[in-house]
């Protein structure tokens, strides 16, 4: 008696390497009025405090370069990869766009620096020390108090109840350099040459 054999036929489908797989999304509509428009957004985020000096020239140059990178990212139709050549998934692109926005907003904090006066009281002596602070933005896009400069006892610093203007200008300059150091640490590869100053700020030692 003969046995019936079922022969399985395996079909191999060869897909040339130069043919890209594509995902079609019927939800997409090219006529959408997008909520996020780069030109409108960047117009609302233009630096308001551009000045002429070597420091500001460097910050201005960085702002223009990052702005151009961000604009190119938003307009490209090419595949986008990480530094190892891996193609980014949509969720990675979403996060990348968000991080570019945060990066630009950090630069804008430098352009439009604002100082905040706080008082720290020494528990043993009871002396109040004036500390000037400035905000930064964390990786989640939240503003946080980050930079500080202790300028001395309140009773020795204040003149007629105010901090002298020349001293405020020096403090602002100092904090601006702290902010630029922090930016360079986060984005420009200076994280390997850092230290901590007397106020607890992370600074670039040799870069």
């Amino acid at each position: 008696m003969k046995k019936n054999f079922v022969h399985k036929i395996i079909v191999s489908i060869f897909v040339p390497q130069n043919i890209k797989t594509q995902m079609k999304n019927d939800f997409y509509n090219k006529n959408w009025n997008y909520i996020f428009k780069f030109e409108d957004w960047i117009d609302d985020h233009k630096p308001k405090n551009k000045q002429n000096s070597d420091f500001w020239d460097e910050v201005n140059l960085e702002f223009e370069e990052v702005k151009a990178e961000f604009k190119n990212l938003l307009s490209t139709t090419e595949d986008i990869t990480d530094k190892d050549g891996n193609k980014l998934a949509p969720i990675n692109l979403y996060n990348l766009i968000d991080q570019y926005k945060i990066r630009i907003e950090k630069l804008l904090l430098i352009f439009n620096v604002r100082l905040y006066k706080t008082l720290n009281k020494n528990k043993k002596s009871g002396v109040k020390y004036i500390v000037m602070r400035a905000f930064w933005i964390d990786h989640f896009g939240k503003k946080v108090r980050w930079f500080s400069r202790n300028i001395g006892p309140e009773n020795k610093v204040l003149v007629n109840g105010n901090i002298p203007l020349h001293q405020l200008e020096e403090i602002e300059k100092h904090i601006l350099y702290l902010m630029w150091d922090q930016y360079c640490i986060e984005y420009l590869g200076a994280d390997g040459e850092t230290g901590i100053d007397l106020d607890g700020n992370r600074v670039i030692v040799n870069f």
Side-chain angles (χ1 to χ4, degrees):
M1 183 176 179
K2 294 183 179 180
K3 294 182 180 180
N4 293 323
F5 292 93
V6 177
H7 297 278
K8 294 182 180 180
I9 300 175
I10 301 175
V11 179
S12 298
I13 301 175
F14 175 73
V15 179
Q17 292 296 313
N18 62 344
I19 297 179
K20 298 180 180 179
T21 57
Q22 295 180 342
M23 176 182 289
K24 181 180 179 181
N25 191 319
D26 293 332
F27 181 62
Y28 175 76
N29 186 332
K30 66 180 180 180
N31 296 317
W32 275 343
N33 291 319
Y34 295 101
I35 295 174
F36 180 78
K37 295 183 179 180
F38 175 79
E39 298 297 342
D40 292 343
W41 183 84
I42 206 66
D43 282 344
D44 291 336
H45 290 73
K46 283 183 178 178
K48 299 180 178 66
N49 192 24
K50 288 190 175 183
Q51 303 178 31
N52 295 320
S53 71
D54 291 342
F55 173 82
W56 287 113
D57 287 347
E58 193 171 1
V59 179
N60 288 332
L61 178 61
E62 176 65 12
F63 177 81
E64 293 300 327
E65 288 181 353
V66 175
K67 185 176 74 172
E69 284 180 17
F70 190 26
K71 185 176 181 179
N72 289 338
L73 170 67
L74 293 174
S75 61
T76 187
T77 57
E78 298 178 359
D79 289 339
I80 300 173
T81 64
D82 62 17
K83 62 182 180 180
D84 297 320
N86 301 310
K87 188 163 65 174
L88 299 185
I91 186 61
N92 302 126
L93 292 173
Y94 177 90
N95 291 332
L96 179 61
I97 289 169
D98 195 51
Q99 288 302 312
Y100 261 104
K101 290 168 69 177
I102 291 173
R103 183 172 179 175
I104 288 176
E105 286 168 356
K106 288 179 180 180
L107 285 168
L108 292 171
L109 282 181
I110 298 175
F111 281 112
N112 307 305
V113 60
R114 290 187 63 185
L115 305 182
Y116 300 87
K117 184 178 77 173
T118 59
L119 293 176
N120 285 354
K121 187 176 181 179
N122 187 297
K123 293 181 179 180
K124 291 183 178 180
S125 66
V127 175
K128 294 180 180 179
Y129 288 83
I130 297 177
V131 179
M132 302 302 293
R133 300 182 184 278
F135 282 95
W136 196 234
I137 300 175
D138 65 18
H139 293 299
F140 300 102
K142 181 180 177 182
K143 271 190 177 183
V144 290
R145 286 188 178 181
W146 195 282
F147 310 99
S148 63
R149 173 76 182 274
N150 187 333
I151 61 175
E154 182 182 29
N155 59 347
K156 294 183 179 180
V157 171
L158 299 183
V159 177
N160 296 324
N162 297 307
I163 301 172
L165 181 60
H166 73 276
Q167 193 167 2
L168 276 176
E169 290 174 346
E170 286 299 317
I171 295 166
E172 181 177 294
K173 183 178 179 180
H174 176 79
I175 287 184
L176 277 170
Y177 280 105
L178 291 177
M179 297 174 83
W180 181 240
D181 274 8
Q182 183 64 35
Y183 182 90
C184 291
I185 290 167
E186 293 182 11
Y187 297 107
L188 302 181
D191 54 321
E193 300 290 344
T194 64
I196 304 296
D197 69 9
L198 295 175
D199 293 304
N201 303 293
R202 194 177 179 194
V203 295
I204 297 175
V205 177
N206 182 22
F207 180 59

